Amino acid sequence: MRRLDYRYHMELLFEQPVNRHHFTLRCLPGENERQRVLTEQVRIEPDYTGGFETDSFGNRCIYGRMEKPHERFLVDVTGTVQTEQNMAVRDTQMHRLGMYRYPTELTAMGASLYKIFQKASFDGESIMEQGKYIMEAVFGHFCYEPGVTQVTTTAEEAAALGRGVCQDYAHVMLALCRQRRIPCRYVAGMLVGEGASHAWVELCDKGNWIAFDPTHNCMADDRYISISYGRDAGDSPINQGDFYGTTGQRQKVCVTVEEKQDSFV
Amino acid sequence: MQIEELYQYSDTVNELLARYGVKFGIYKNGTFNEQLFPFDMIPRIIKKEEFTCLEKGLKQRVAALNAFIRDIYGKKEIIRDGVIPEEFIYMGSGYLAQCEGVLPPKGVFTHIAGIDLVQGKDGKWYILEDNLRIPSGASYPMIARTICRKSSPALFEQNSIVDNRDYAKLLRRTMDYVNTGGHTVILTPGRYNAAYFEHSYLAELTGAHLAIGHELVAENDHLYFVDYSGKKELVGAVYRRISDEYLDPMNFNSESVIGIPHIFDIYRKGNVAIINAPGNGVADDKGIYYFVPKMIRYYLGEEAILSNAPTYLPFYEEDMKYVLEHFDHLVLKDVAEAGGYGVVFGSEMTKEEKKKFVSMLKEEPRRFIAQEVIDFMDIDIYEEGKLLPRKADLRAFVLMEEEPVVWESGLTRFSRNPDSFIVNSSQGGGFKDTWVMAE
């Protein structure tokens, strides 16, 4: 068990004012067997009208609209989460599992994915073992390199390239699992340290979601805080916006997670 | 007064229809062409007893389809019970994961259903396809009837033809039934849409606001119509004539500029009705069509009153075998296509095309359905003083209130090409009025 202090800080800077700005944020860690939210503070600027909701993937969302012109959009979420190691997340909506078993546009199979799929040995019987084989195959195939892929890069494109970031690792792993009809989902979240947000995958084994991190070739433990779930990255972006104005924009994202010093285990 | 007297007004009626703007826009190769939707004066006539039977079958079918969509985005019992294999849901393009767990106002998904039927030479009706997304076309026979009544009032006075000009009233009741409180709006993508005439005509007749995307805003969990002075009025029902994909850039295609950001979030909270419900495509997929009679049995415990055209799913080994053996007698349809596209006749393929198609079929069996070619009944059209037989189908409209209601008319579309079976308006066909007899 750990207590983790986190901060998700995002700033969008526009060169010229924009208006009629709509946003949906999935930046609030959810509660489950693996993590408990102890404290949470949210700051969003400028003022907006909107509300809270839970989407079809179980994510807590803040959505809103800023009518007036503005040059900066700021989201700052801080809080403390208590995480558990080696705990599977129990699925409470098993009837929705089907959607996680089939390819999406971003995780559709292609020639490069088939190659990895055929190379990976699947001796394992359990979902856990199969997941580990697939994770290893993905990890072995990829070279971590930021800047060569985009948010819209598909699993097949990333696999053909052989390079990418955590989102690409996750998408490729999802595609391969789905080829075996293993229900699996994309997880956006944070990892102890400083930098960008992270992404990994969860596989469902008899109603329990087990977390694999193909970027690091390991199981996700209590150093991970999950934020949003979906069939792929497109289902559950941490922040998503739509505004009027034809102008350049710069996005700064800073995520920090550190273990609370005064915590006792 | 004989029906033949009507024919002499053909040119005048078509001229008036054109003046009212009864047109059909078609995008082809990147250019927009607006063409008239040719109207033929000879109506399809359906006898009272025949229509009563159709009505029963249509109500039953739409009730089952509505129950199916509700089940799919809810508990999915039909999958659990093995009636429909889950790949037909999740591999299809119509399923929208965003709709999981969303129950629309009053549980209505299929507010307006357009069910396409054909009548075989033996007189038996067959369902050709279900349209549960944004079926268009009701306005055409409605305005044609209005004009024809003016050209020969006596004909309509002396014959007991059920008046079909009440469609707007039915539509209004359907919209009011699910309205969550506030105005009713018809949302149009604008005048370059193929069915813009219909959008404006229905708005006029139902008394709904005709709006484009940016006139509607989501605020504080509710939807508002913003008028020219900036005043905001609460909206309780949106009959949107925009496909799911473009409805809301924050929940579906983010590139959409014709939608309303966050309308789906408000709908999820139950604070506005969207007509028809997003996600209905899961039920009108050509692959799902095969399962509709099974759905009727499953949800209603009844046998289907109206038959499907005999359909085979190559997904099942047995059906694949049949399809390969009888390839030349079948029509093959790509389940992902609509509007008459992706339809090929086995008999019309060259050897090479056939070989290519069969290998595609074996690779992706779920992508196709095969059907017996129904030799459907011809209906005469009147052209340059002559009567010419043409293939025609019927789109029946079923509107959902507390119970499904069938509009006592329908859109009869005919193929202008004597050799073609494809009657879709987007393929250049024409239309007829549909007379349901009162006695």
Side-chain angles (χ1 to χ4, degrees), chain A residues 103-111 113 154-157 171 175 178-179:
Chain A
T104 58
E105 252 175 69
L106 284 172
T107 60
M109 285 302 280
L113 287 167
T154 65
E156 171 60 19
E157 286 164 355
H171 279 164
R178 286 179 187 153
Q179 185 62 19

Side-chain angles (χ1 to χ4, degrees), chain B residues 46-103:
Chain B
I46 304 177
K47 287 194 203 105
K48 186 181 155 87
E49 315 81 69
E50 196 175 7
F51 192 79
T52 307
C53 178
L54 281 176
E55 194 176 24
K56 249 170 106 183
L58 288 164
K59 282 183 183 177
Q60 179 197 51
R61 190 169 178 100
V62 172
L65 286 164
N66 194 76
F68 169 69
I69 302 170
R70 183 173 175 155
D71 187 24
I72 287 303
Y73 292 118
K75 292 181 181 159
K76 302 176 212 332
E77 291 172 335
I78 199 162
I79 301 177
R80 186 201 62 200
D81 293 343
V83 179
I84 298 182
E86 66 173 16
E87 37 273 85
F88 280 88
I89 307 297
Y90 301 114
M91 296 284 278
S93 57
Y95 168 78
L96 294 180
Q98 290 93 330
C99 298
E100 279 289 344
V102 183
L103 186 66

Side-chain angles (χ1 to χ4, degrees), chain A residues 20 22-24 49-50 52-57 63-65 95-96 98-99 101-103 231 240-242, chain B residues 74-76 86-87 90-91 95 97-101 214 217-221 249-250 261-262 265 268-269:
Chain A
R20 270 196 254 159
H22 295 85
F23 63 86
T24 299
T49 55
F52 289 92
E53 66 168 334
T54 304
D55 69 15
S56 290
F57 309 100
Y63 73 102
R65 168 168 196 270
H95 61 286
R96 289 192 193 171
M99 68 165 149
R101 251 193 297 267
Y102 293 87
R231 291 166 305 167
Q240 186 187 357
D242 180 65
Chain B
K75 292 181 181 159
K76 302 176 212 332
E86 66 173 16
E87 37 273 85
Y90 301 114
M91 296 284 278
Y95 168 78
Q98 290 93 330
C99 298
E100 279 289 344
H214 73 244
V217 296
E219 216 169 271
N220 296 326
D221 293 344
M250 297 305 292
H262 292 313
D265 303 271
R268 178 197 296 285
K269 291 188 171 222

Side-chain angles (χ1 to χ4, degrees), chain B residues 178-437:
Chain B
V178 293
N179 190 308
T180 58
H183 288 279
T184 298
V185 161
I186 296 182
L187 174 66
T188 175
R191 74 167 214 87
Y192 290 109
N193 186 271
Y196 184 68
F197 158 74
E198 175 153 304
H199 307 165
S200 53
Y201 191 60
L202 292 178
E204 186 188 324
L205 295 185
T206 57
H209 290 289
L210 183 66
I212 53 171
H214 73 244
E215 289 175 307
L216 297 167
V217 296
E219 216 169 271
N220 296 326
D221 293 344
H222 290 278
L223 189 72
Y224 295 90
F225 176 78
V226 186
D227 73 10
Y228 59 92
S229 68
K231 207 174 84 186
K232 288 176 186 151
E233 307 247 17
L234 187 65
V235 172
V238 178
Y239 177 19
R240 47 72 181 238
R241 302 293 304 240
I242 287 178
S243 65
D244 290 351
E245 199 186 350
Y246 294 103
L247 182 62
D248 177 352
M250 297 305 292
N251 282 284
F252 304 107
N253 187 346
S254 61
E255 307 278 302
S256 172
V257 293
I258 54 174
I260 305 159
H262 292 313
I263 186 176
F264 189 75
D265 303 271
I266 288 165
Y267 164 72
R268 178 197 296 285
K269 291 188 171 222
N271 291 346
V272 72
I274 298 178
I275 300 165
N276 289 347
N280 278 4
V282 73
D284 67 7
D285 183 300
K286 292 189 177 72
I288 291 297
Y289 164 90
Y290 172 90
F291 295 101
V292 177
K294 293 179 198 286
M295 265 177 222
I296 293 172
R297 215 169 296 143
Y298 183 77
Y299 293 113
L300 309 178
E302 299 168 9
E303 286 306 306
I305 297 165
L306 291 166
S307 307
N308 273 3
T311 305
Y312 308 93
L313 281 192
F315 173 81
Y316 293 121
E317 229 168 84
E318 209 176 292
D319 285 16
M320 174 71 100
K321 207 174 141 224
Y322 182 91
V323 171
L324 294 178
E325 277 167 13
H326 301 83
F327 196 82
D328 293 346
H329 305 288
L330 299 171
V331 51
L332 295 117
K333 297 181 178 175
D334 188 330
V335 299
E337 301 274 0
Y341 297 97
V343 177
V344 285
F345 290 83
S347 57
E348 287 171 11
M349 278 189 226
T350 63
K351 239 185 180 165
E352 206 145 285
E353 284 170 337
K354 192 174 150 182
K355 214 174 132 195
K356 220 169 122 193
F357 193 93
V358 168
S359 78
M360 204 157 61
L361 185 67
K362 284 181 173 163
E363 202 162 297
E364 287 184 272
R366 203 206 59 82
R367 216 181 107 189
F368 300 94
I369 59 166
Q371 288 176 330
E372 304 286 354
V373 180
I374 295 176
D375 194 6
F376 44 101
M377 217 183 250
D378 290 315
I379 297 191
D380 283 341
I381 64 166
Y382 181 79
E383 217 167 78
E384 288 163 7
K386 279 187 289 229
L387 299 181
L388 307 166
R390 287 293 182 272
K391 299 293 173 208
D393 77 349
L394 170 68
R395 173 168 292 183
F397 289 87
V398 185
L399 282 77
M400 200 68 128
E401 296 169 29
E402 206 150 354
E403 295 286 320
V405 177
V406 182
W407 179 40
E408 289 173 292
S409 182
L411 175 69
T412 293
R413 297 177 300 179
F414 61 90
S415 156
R416 298 185 84 197
N417 175 348
D419 304 320
S420 178
F421 282 85
I422 297 174
V423 297
N424 298 63
S425 331
S426 45
Q427 304 272 353
F431 78 104
K432 287 169 171 289
D433 192 0
T434 306
W435 291 2
V436 174
M437 304 312 289

